[in-house]
Amino acid sequence: MSGPTLRNIGILAHVDAGKTTLTERLLHASGALRIPGSVDAGTACTDDLEVERRRGISVRAALASFEWRGHRFNLVDTPGHGDFAGEVERTLSVLDGAVLVVSAAEGVQAQTEVLWEALAALGLPTLFFLNKVDRVGADLPGVLGQIRRLLTPRAVPLQTLAGAGTDRLLLRDLSDPGDPEAAAGLFEALADLDEDLMEAYLEGRTLPPEELLRRAEPHARRGHLFPLLFGAALDGLGVEPLLDGLVRFLPPAGGDPEAPTSARAFKVVHDPALGRGVYVRVHRGTLRTRDALPLPGREEPGKVTRIRRAGAGRWEDVPALEAGDLGLVFGLGEARAGDALGDPEGLPGGVPLAEPLFSVRAVPPTPEDAPRLLAALRVLSDEDPHLGLVLDRERQEMHLRILGPLQVEILTALLSDRFGLAATFEKPATLYKETLQEAAEGYVEYTLPKPCWAVLRFLVEPGERGSGVVYRSRVSTDDVKLKYQREVERTLPAALEQGLLGWEVTDLRITLLEGEDHEVHSRPTDFAIATPMGIFDALQKGGTRLLEPVLRFALAAPEEAAGAVLGDLLRMRGTFDAPRVEEGVFRVEGTLPAEPCGDYAVRLGSLTGGRGRFSTRFAGYRDCPEEIRAEAPRRSVSPLDRARYILAARGAL
Ligand code: GDP
């Protein structure tokens, strides 16, 4: 028998599948909560925001902890809505495993597919929990078929259930005697993964269910096989077997507590009493109070002043957090969500972050409230770096970047609940990007007005969609010293923040072909000032074109609505694969340009009497049709306006 272990787990589900109810049940069953909260009564303790209560959705990750048979679990509540995709991804990256809840009555929904894709992309070990088996209309074989078809053929039930959709439910383990056929599905799935078993399977031998379960463990813990369990969270049915399943089929958190400390920040909060706190996962080493922790991009390390951990049912102060554990850390200064803390070596690969596609202007209730609003927005964008607060000083405007329309609603509620500010938001606008049309050279000779000396020649070429900006230098450090070349590279992101049309410039290959510094007159800032002029020279010669954000969508609706829906999709400039129809349900997948106000889910709902499902996921930027024109106002002087630009850059304007 191995000793007590720790697992960081998340529960994911489509809205209404029963995530909150199940969470409360898990905490309750393990003794961490005395009375299970009820979503319907508004007392669930993991929904920590007033706005969540009002909407009945979970939008912020909250941490709870419980023990089961001596093993400890950190339960991270993941937001379920696509508008918070960045937070979903950041949260998933700290987990050891997940439970994906699917309602046995409603089945796999488009949002379930999106969540599954995120789990699969990270290769996260996952258990399926088929909830609401008590509901009239619960269709176990049907939903299992959907899961296998739409999500993964490697989902395998580890139980049998009789009486689905009635109040005479009988849930049995595979190892319960009485149904020798039940383990056949597991045997078949294992045969695919295990040579030895394949032989036995083909020979028609049978193996005891307990042995099959034992052999399933390592495959499940590696995320190659996905155990499926049944239950009705509302009545607590299937909750204990699920808890046992978590211990058995999800891998424990690992990491050497003696190694140099590596941790990742995954969420920032502002506690009214304790100040700015950072949720972290320690991947290696041990994080202790009074530790000084290197922060990315900052000279000053963060000094840990206090560490809180989610204990069973309440928070507790601890002197240290060991590898594998999650906690809330105070004293880390400006650390932001997503930051690598300490030694970056010990961290698993980077987290792909969703991109905000829209920009929205925040308006204070009165002009006098502007400074307070700015301060509040600074706090919020600190908690969620995606918000990328931009202050347009010339027009005295505050803009935020958002992932979708629901986020505006959440921000409005947050500003009012936490800061007592009745701010409003203007209609969100699409954030376009731009890219180069044709390869061109850009040249800059910045030698006047003295004293300054920087000469650069760039080759700028269009890159593939989604390739971002790739830079390299072919200039020897004899011609341009390394410290100056570093300055060129460091300046590029800022130089590309706004192109000829005012949008971020992307998908470029930039090569520094030639350059010259001056023994006496050059300073690093000369190269920082020259770089945008050289790049803009190339942009102007090659021309730029607009790129628009596109979404990958999945849509399901009753067959009768197919004609109207396909018409809508074409009108919205959608492209899609051949639709599929099965059992009266019509499904189609494809891409759509992201429209800030196009909440198509609402229209689909009215078109299908609420039975349609629509979900989207960011899929990158693609060329915009010629007829669409959009420009964004410049926030700083254009490098093409050479004289004014130089004055502004030297701080003389
Ligand atoms: P969430 O949106 O995924 O967090 O789902 P909730 O936990 O809020 O549950 C949505 C609704 O389904 C609530 O009204 C629950 O009472 C109900 N519900 C949850 N689990 C079950 C179940 O096992 N059986 C039945 N019949 N209803 C359930």
Side-chain angles (χ1 to χ4, degrees):
M1 257 327 265
S2 56
T5 57
L6 164 69
R7 283 169 188 75
N8 301 298
I9 62 164
I11 300 182
L12 290 86
H14 185 271
V15 171
D16 236 27
K19 180 175 91 174
T20 313
T21 309
L22 179 63
T23 302
E24 297 298 323
R25 279 289 166 181
L26 291 178
L27 297 180
H28 174 68
S30 59
L33 257 188
R34 255 178 307 170
I35 310 160
S38 155
V39 189
D40 306 295
T43 54
C45 76
T46 42
D47 279 359
D48 63 350
L49 258 188
E50 189 51 32
V51 36
E52 289 184 24
R53 261 167 226 218
R54 286 202 293 265
R55 291 186 60 108
I57 54 167
S58 296
V59 293
R60 298 183 85 202
L63 187 62
S65 178
F66 63 85
E67 281 183 14
W68 179 249
R69 302 201 201 284
H71 302 279
R72 202 159 74 81
F73 289 87
N74 282 316
L75 180 59
V76 186
D77 189 22
T78 51
H81 197 281
D83 279 5
F84 303 92
E87 196 163 326
V88 176
E89 285 163 6
R90 276 200 301 275
T91 308
L92 294 188
S93 74
V94 304
L95 302 180
D96 300 302
V99 178
L100 184 57
V101 184
V102 180
S103 159
E106 283 90 16
V108 171
Q109 302 180 358
Q111 185 66 21
T112 324
E113 294 180 55
V114 174
L115 292 170
W116 172 257
E117 270 182 45
L119 292 169
L122 287 170
L124 212 59
T126 301
L127 304 190
F128 285 96
F129 187 72
L130 205 53
N131 191 33
K132 302 196 188 184
V133 297
D134 60 313
R135 274 270 302 272
V136 177
D139 172 13
L140 270 38
V143 177
L144 179 60
Q146 278 185 336
I147 290 175
R148 289 193 165 153
R149 238 180 4 258
L150 301 171
L151 308 183
T152 168
R154 296 254 157 89
V156 195
L158 299 190
Q159 296 163 325
T160 60
L161 182 87
T166 70
D167 53 9
R168 286 181 306 280
L169 294 162
L170 182 62
L171 184 62
R172 277 201 179 137
D173 221 46
L174 283 191
S175 49
D176 277 357
D179 190 356
E181 289 299 295
L186 176 58
F187 196 179
E188 191 180 335
L190 282 171
D192 260 350
L193 294 164
D194 194 323
E195 286 284 317
D196 297 354
L197 286 181
M198 181 55 108
E199 226 162 89
Y201 182 73
L202 292 177
E203 284 166 7
R205 280 195 276 151
T206 53
L207 288 178
E210 190 45 49
E211 180 175 352
L212 292 174
L213 289 169
R214 195 174 48 71
R215 290 202 180 227
E217 276 173 35
H219 298 297
R221 285 182 173 203
R222 259 182 249 130
H224 296 162
L225 182 95
F226 306 98
L228 183 141
L229 301 167
F230 301 113
L234 196 58
D235 308 323
L237 179 77
V239 173
E240 292 204 1
L242 176 62
L243 285 160
D244 288 335
L246 297 177
V247 175
R248 194 159 185 191
F249 297 107
L250 294 182
D256 176 5
E258 307 300 332
T261 311
S262 302
R264 166 113 41 209
F266 65 98
K267 186 180 165 71
V268 172
V269 289
H270 287 80
D271 186 280
L274 300 173
R276 195 167 181 285
V278 180
Y279 280 93
V280 304
R281 170 166 179 159
V282 182
H283 286 274
R284 261 189 4 190
T286 301
L287 188 72
R288 295 188 176 83
T289 44
R290 291 194 291 280
D291 272 358
L293 216 55
L295 303 176
R298 298 204 192 87
E299 310 245 311
E300 282 286 295
K303 187 127 193 272
V304 179
T305 53
R306 183 170 194 159
I307 305 174
R308 312 201 83 197
R309 204 174 74 161
R314 68 193 148 75
W315 285 93
E316 59 199 17
D317 282 310
V318 290
L321 211 52
E322 283 198 356
D325 214 348
L326 305 184
L328 182 54
V329 178
F330 293 88
L332 287 183
E334 295 299 303
R336 315 215 322 167
D339 275 356
L341 309 171
D343 176 15
E345 283 294 298
L347 292 175
V351 193
L353 293 182
E355 277 195 58
L357 307 180
F358 311 116
S359 152
V360 68
R361 180 181 162 203
V363 185
T366 71
E368 290 74 53
D369 289 315
R372 273 180 64 220
L373 179 58
L374 182 61
L377 292 179
R378 285 218 163 104
V379 170
L380 293 179
S381 71
D382 202 43
E383 292 178 358
D384 185 354
H386 274 314
L387 287 174
L389 174 66
V390 172
L391 186 62
D392 184 332
R393 288 181 200 279
E394 221 156 281
R395 271 162 291 270
Q396 292 285 308
E397 289 176 1
M398 292 168 244
H399 295 264
L400 294 170
R401 302 184 310 162
I402 56 169
L403 291 153
L406 177 61
Q407 212 173 352
V408 170
E409 210 176 305
I410 305 289
L411 284 169
T412 312
L414 274 173
L415 287 169
S416 134
D417 294 352
R418 276 177 56 188
F419 304 94
L421 271 164
T424 50
F425 290 88
E426 286 186 351
K427 205 174 117 191
T430 302
L431 284 169
Y432 293 93
K433 289 191 181 183
E434 55 184 285
T435 192
L436 191 69
Q437 303 247 47
E438 283 169 33
E441 286 190 10
Y443 181 70
V444 57
E445 221 180 78
Y446 176 49
T447 53
L448 283 171
K450 283 191 169 86
C452 62
W453 197 280
V455 180
L456 298 165
R457 184 191 302 281
F458 294 101
L459 170 65
V460 186
E461 301 163 284
E464 269 179 43
R465 289 297 154 266
S467 62
V469 178
V470 181
Y471 171 78
R472 63 192 171 137
S473 166
R474 286 218 226 119
V475 174
S476 111
T477 49
D478 296 337
D479 292 334
V480 179
K481 286 197 188 64
L482 187 62
K483 62 175 174 181
Y484 300 142
Q485 295 215 25
R486 287 226 176 94
E487 201 60 20
V488 171
E489 188 166 3
R490 200 187 59 78
T491 311
L492 280 176
L496 296 171
E497 242 168 40
Q498 288 197 289
L500 301 182
L501 302 169
W503 306 105
E504 184 191 329
V505 193
T506 188
D507 297 349
L508 304 174
R509 287 195 305 275
I510 301 177
T511 313
L512 182 59
L513 295 177
E514 290 176 358
E516 191 187 303
D517 62 14
H518 191 287
E519 204 44 58
V520 182
H521 299 308
S522 288
R523 285 161 312 168
T525 49
D526 298 345
F527 287 86
I529 292 174
T531 299
M533 291 194 279
I535 297 293
F536 266 65
D537 188 40
L539 294 182
Q540 201 181 27
K541 287 182 187 142
T544 64
R545 62 168 309 155
L546 213 53
L547 300 176
E548 65 180 350
V550 291
L551 303 174
R552 183 99 198 132
F553 71 87
L555 186 154
E559 203 176 344
E560 314 82 81
V565 165
L566 292 178
D568 284 345
L569 291 174
L570 288 173
R571 256 194 307 285
M572 296 188 290
R573 297 192 287 121
T575 54
F576 39 85
D577 311 333
R580 291 165 286 151
V581 178
E582 49 193 54
E583 295 154 28
V585 177
F586 146 83
R587 287 175 187 279
V588 59
E589 285 172 27
T591 52
L592 279 174
E595 284 291 336
C597 312
D599 198 351
Y600 189 64
V602 175
R603 162 151 170 86
L604 186 68
S606 65
L607 210 64
T608 58
R611 284 180 301 147
R613 300 283 165 206
F614 180 67
S615 76
T616 56
R617 179 167 62 77
F618 175 62
Y621 275 77
R622 75 173 177 202
D623 294 8
C624 211
E626 293 286 336
E627 63 273 18
I628 293 180
R629 292 180 197 286
E631 285 199 31
R634 275 208 75 84
R635 297 186 295 268
S636 57
V637 182
S638 164
L640 293 173
D641 188 353
R642 184 176 171 116
R644 279 190 71 224
Y645 167 78
I646 291 175
L647 285 179
R650 287 180 169 193
L653 259 196

